Amino acid sequence: MSRRFPIPRPAEDSRFTFGLVLDVAQVLAAHGYPSMAEPYDGCGPDLLALQQALFSLIYTANPPEEYES
């Protein structure tokens, strides 16, 4: 079974927004993890870390051979 991520990083991707990060944070909270969507100390750094983790999962600067044409 081959992986679907990471994908080649486009010059721009309107899908990767802060709203996406908040949606993922809300899904995590719905599964019992601490909420990042409500104000508390550390919310900003946690959301930034989540955004960076999602970016690293989704995109790659060096696509594997299976992505190359």
Side-chain angles (χ1 to χ4, degrees):
M1 182 178 286
S2 64
R3 294 184 60 175
R4 296 188 180 185
F5 291 94
I7 62 173
R9 183 179 170 198
E12 290 186 32
D13 190 346
S14 61
R15 300 170 295 177
F16 194 85
T17 64
F18 192 67
L20 172 66
V21 176
L22 287 177
D23 288 347
V24 173
Q26 289 174 342
V27 169
L28 290 171
H31 284 269
Y33 292 94
S35 175
M36 289 183 256
E38 58 190 56
Y40 74 95
D41 286 343
C43 183
D46 285 342
L47 287 170
L48 178 60
L50 179 58
Q51 183 179 34
Q52 291 171 332
L54 286 171
F55 193 89
S56 294
L57 167 75
I58 295 171
Y59 302 115
T60 182
N62 303 311
E65 289 181 18
E66 66 223 38
Y67 292 125
E68 295 177 359
S69 305

